[in-house]
Amino acid sequence: MTVGCDKTEPPINKAPTCYITSPKNGDELVKGEIKMISIEADDADGLVTEVTIKIDNIGVSISLSIPYQYQWNTTDAIPGRHTISVTVKDVQKAWV
């Protein structure tokens, strides 16, 4: 007779991945133009549920489905450098 308890570990959730496809690093900002911000996001072991776009650390858009994009009206943008960042969450709440 063999007795024992089977222990199974839940699979480890892989974090999603993302790439900002537009604009590119070093692109110039032209005040008054509409600048399209485009994101590619994927999750190898699940689904992307949310993509948050930030400009200069201020959330400007939350996309819940493809396409992950934001049209930035730069009319009120301050001249100089700006930072665009993205947070992506998956169905199991992993984020990158």
Side-chain angles (χ1 to χ4, degrees):
M1 177 179 348
T2 303
V3 296
C5 297
D6 290 333
K7 180 179 180 184
T8 57
E9 296 291 331
I12 296 174
N13 181 28
K14 296 178 184 173
T17 59
C18 68
Y19 303 95
I20 299 173
T21 58
S22 176
K24 302 287 185 202
N25 265 335
D27 280 1
E28 295 280 328
L29 175 75
V30 177
K31 190 173 177 110
E33 76 177 355
I34 302 296
K35 186 65 114 177
M36 179 64 74
I37 300 172
S38 299
I39 312 302
E40 287 185 15
D42 190 34
D43 188 43
D45 60 351
L47 297 171
V48 170
T49 58
E50 182 179 298
V51 174
T52 302
I53 299 171
K54 295 179 182 179
I55 299 173
D56 298 330
N57 212 28
I58 297 171
V60 295
S61 175
I62 296 175
S63 297
L64 304 177
S65 61
I66 296 171
Y68 306 118
Q69 297 179 327
Y70 174 70
Q71 292 184 7
W72 180 18
N73 182 342
T74 63
T75 300
D76 295 327
I78 298 170
R81 296 183 62 112
H82 295 276
T83 302
I84 298 170
S85 59
V86 177
T87 302
V88 178
K89 292 182 184 174
D90 71 11
V91 73
Q92 294 176 323
K93 306 295 187 216
W95 59 277
V96 62

